């Protein structure tokens, strides 16, 4: 039996935020230490990092523990509530990454397809170039912009999937919008509510990208760009590309430290 049966196309409501935090935190926990090592290579340990699409604060927790100052941004109030509980030392904002006024910083991250989600009415593939310029302006000389994006063809014809925990179940059905190069995820969660389970549904539309076009946009904004399928020893999920974009140093250059230093 279910207690409630609601439908939402919003971004990570209370139930899905909880499910994502407890059941799908492996990617954030895996990539955060590698990113911290990247900060170390450029001498940015302890400086300000802006974590876009920060979710429940898993990456932010790692960053704060390493000595960084963290500003987290997420469009989901439920995610930000979890993040504030997990990382009270950080500063968090409920906002779209496109609208948020980025502070001066050493690095900007957007892990977990953040820039691909179509939650914001202003989300358009061509609009990313304007956002890239905004990031470039916020970074200090030599600063880093590290993010991943899903490629065209991701999860095409993928059958439905499901995951479960002690008090929750999550079902996902995939639909491909080839005209728009988008992936649509129909997500249904069942979360225990007393003796019943509460059912909620969200629809997430995700833009798919061609990595060469993204690289070209980044370079036209002044970034030096590298593409990869992993960050350090940690692999990206299948069908995703990691972009490491660096703002050109000015004056005293911050070069990567050689191993052992």
């Amino acid at each position: 039996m279910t207690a409630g049966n609601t439908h939402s196309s919003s971004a990570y409501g209370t139930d899905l935020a909880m499910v994502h935090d407890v059941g799908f935190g492996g990617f954030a926990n895996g990539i955060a230490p590698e990113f911290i090592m990247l900060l170390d290579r450029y001498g940015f340990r302890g400086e300000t990092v802006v974590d876009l699409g920060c979710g429940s604060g898993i990456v932010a927790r790692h960053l704060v523990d390493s000595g960084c100052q963290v500003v987290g941004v997420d469009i989901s109030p439920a995610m930000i509530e979890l993040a504030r509980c997990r990382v009270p030392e950080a500063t968090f904002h409920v906002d779209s990454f496109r609208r948020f006024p980025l502070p001066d910083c050493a690095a900007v991250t957007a892990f977990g397809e953040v820039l691909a989600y179509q939650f914001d009415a202003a989300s358009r593939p061509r609009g990313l170039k304007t956002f890239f310029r905004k990031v470039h302006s916020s970074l200090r000389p030599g600063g880093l912009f590290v993010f991943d994006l899903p490629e065209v063809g991701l999860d095409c014809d993928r059958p439905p999937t499901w995951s479960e925990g002690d008090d929750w179940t999550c079902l996902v059905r995939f639909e491909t919008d080839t005209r728009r190069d988008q992936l649509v995820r129909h997500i249904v969660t069942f979360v225990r509510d007393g003796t019943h389970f509460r059912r909620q549904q969200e629809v997430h539309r995700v833009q798919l990208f061609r990595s060469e076009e993204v690289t070209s946009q980044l370079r036209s904004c002044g970034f030096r760009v590298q593409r990869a399928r992993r960050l350090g020893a940690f692999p990206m999920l299948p069908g995703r590309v990691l972009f490491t974009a660096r703002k050109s140093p000015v004056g005293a250059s911050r070069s990567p430290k050689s191993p052992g230093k």
Side-chain angles (χ1 to χ4, degrees):
M1 297 179 65
T2 62
N5 184 353
T6 61
H7 175 91
S8 172
S9 58
S10 63
Y12 290 94
T14 302
D15 285 355
L16 185 56
M18 181 278 293
V19 167
H20 194 275
D21 180 56
V22 301
F24 299 92
F27 179 80
N29 276 313
I31 202 167
E34 299 292 342
F35 177 65
I36 290 168
M37 285 192 282
L38 183 65
L39 293 177
D40 284 346
R41 286 181 59 203
Y42 288 96
F44 288 147
R45 175 75 75 100
E47 299 199 32
T48 298
V49 177
V50 178
D51 186 15
L52 301 176
C54 63
S56 58
I58 294 174
V59 170
R61 181 71 269 168
H62 285 271
L63 288 169
V64 167
D65 288 346
S66 76
C68 290
Q69 306 298 312
V70 177
V71 178
V73 182
D74 202 287
I75 203 169
S76 165
M79 283 292 200
I80 290 296
E81 183 177 353
L82 292 172
R84 285 171 175 158
C85 290
R86 174 174 276 123
V87 200
E89 308 96 316
T91 302
F92 293 102
H93 303 268
V94 177
D95 206 345
S96 161
F97 72 85
R98 293 181 182 271
R99 293 190 301 265
F100 183 71
L102 296 173
D104 293 341
C105 57
V108 175
T109 67
F111 294 131
E113 306 176 346
V114 170
L115 306 187
Y117 279 102
Q118 302 297 290
F119 293 133
D120 190 330
S123 295
R124 302 182 312 278
R126 292 182 180 178
L128 268 188
K129 187 172 181 179
T130 300
F131 175 70
F132 291 162
R133 291 195 190 101
K134 178 179 173 180
V135 173
H136 189 273
S137 296
S138 74
L139 289 171
R140 62 180 300 170
L144 300 171
F145 178 28
V146 187
F147 62 97
D148 61 283
L149 286 175
E151 294 180 291
V152 171
L154 175 67
D155 291 340
C156 182
D157 299 323
R158 182 180 181 181
T161 63
W162 64 275
S163 303
E164 65 178 356
D166 291 339
D167 55 2
W168 60 269
T169 299
C170 181
L171 314 174
V172 185
R173 179 172 62 85
F174 304 89
E175 176 187 353
T176 301
D177 184 340
T178 55
R179 184 175 64 86
R180 298 181 180 178
D181 282 337
Q182 292 181 347
L183 176 68
V184 185
R185 295 180 179 130
H186 301 267
I187 305 170
V188 179
T189 56
F190 296 88
V191 174
R192 185 180 295 279
D193 185 2
T195 58
H196 300 78
F197 278 84
R198 181 175 60 250
R199 179 186 186 276
Q200 291 192 341
Q201 180 175 343
E202 294 192 19
V203 179
H204 294 181
R205 187 172 284 269
V206 179
Q207 186 68 46
L208 305 178
F209 293 86
R210 292 171 175 82
S211 58
E212 297 84 0
E213 294 176 2
V214 176
T215 300
S216 177
Q217 290 183 342
L218 286 164
R219 286 176 176 161
S220 71
C221 296
F223 283 108
R224 302 175 181 180
V225 186
Q226 292 183 333
R227 299 197 306 261
R229 298 288 178 178
R230 61 179 58 244
L231 180 56
F234 186 75
M236 295 296 102
L237 296 172
R240 283 79 167 179
V241 177
L242 180 79
F243 295 84
T244 301
R246 188 184 183 211
K247 184 172 180 176
S248 296
V250 175
S253 174
R254 286 178 178 265
S255 300
K257 298 177 180 178
S258 60
K261 289 187 179 181

